[in-house]
Amino acid sequence: MEPIDIETVADPDLREPVLVEGLPGVGHVGKLAAEHLLEEFESTLVRRVYADEFPPQVDVDDDGVASLTHASFHAVDLSSPTPTDVEEETDEETDEAADEDDENPEGDALADGGAADEAEDGEEGEDGDEDDDPGTVPADRDLLVLTGNHQAGSNKGHYQLTEAFLDVAEGFGVEEAYALGGVPTGELIEEHNVLGAVSDPQLTESLADAGVEFRGDEPAGGIVGVSGLLLGLGGRRDLDVACLMGETSGYLVDPKSAQAVLETLEQQLGFRVDFAALEARAEEMEEVVGKIQQMQEGGGTGPSDEELRYIG
């Protein structure tokens, strides 16, 4: 095998694609966010990237089938929620239709799921208005989502892999990219602010409008790994790159921080995603955090190894 081997799985034509990177890091914030996008929208595996910089191991799926560890690129169609989401929206619309004296549920189905209360009458005219509202699903852009279970094992490997990732992205016509990750606070927090860094000063205004905070000299020590190198190397390729970092304790997997980052990405790119799955994971983590706090206060035993496992 070559030091880096890129396997072509599919070659779809993408519509003004935006690269979204979510590899493992602090609090697994970026990884959780990227994988949530893959779960909530229809996606197509397009590339596998193998590298001798990844750990010498295989990943084993639910059926016991092993595959060499790798990073993956998926093309994500933002206009196509998963069948589960469609079914849940249809059930809600059917209930609303019954409450409104058997009004046409198909009219409601045309409206965005998050704005169902505003579209109870299901009239076509109102549906057209909602298509122009911020946060509705765009019809003219796709995502190219990069995720995986590992990053490179050396400094040189980080540079080489990031260059390979950028080569794949540019091959699909990517000109805009978002690296998703976490920034540690060193303590458990209730609110998760999103910090930002950009490859070009002109990108700060729209991100600030989306609630991103730009703090001088933060994160302390800079941004390491693929997320940081996408900014540096991507900027050298004249790509518009932003890194969105959700605040997190740094101690545990943090679905709440992942949701905060995705909410910012939603506003920046103008799409909607259902957060029910992330919210359920957050509830699980709150139980773990509660047990940790009890342990710290001497009021109970700490969480078990099973409870501290990665919630994926």
Side-chain angles (χ1 to χ4, degrees), residues 89-105:
E89 291 172 3
T90 303
D91 290 341
E92 293 173 2
E93 291 155 4
T94 302
D95 291 339
E96 289 176 4
D99 293 340
E100 295 295 326
D101 196 23
D102 295 326
E103 289 187 66
N104 178 17

Side-chain angles (χ1 to χ4, degrees), residues 76-150:
V76 174
D77 182 357
L78 289 176
S79 65
S80 299
T82 62
T84 299
D85 292 336
V86 171
E87 182 178 351
E88 290 173 354
E89 291 172 3
T90 303
D91 290 341
E92 293 173 2
E93 291 155 4
T94 302
D95 291 339
E96 289 176 4
D99 293 340
E100 295 295 326
D101 196 23
D102 295 326
E103 289 187 66
N104 178 17
E106 293 184 359
D108 290 339
L110 295 174
D112 178 79
D117 291 339
E118 297 178 15
E120 289 180 349
D121 58 5
E123 293 181 0
E124 292 183 2
E126 290 192 22
D127 292 336
D129 291 339
E130 287 195 14
D131 286 342
D132 295 330
D133 288 343
T136 55
V137 176
D140 59 350
R141 303 200 78 175
D142 295 311
L143 299 183
L144 184 65
V145 176
L146 166 63
T147 190
N149 293 325
H150 306 283

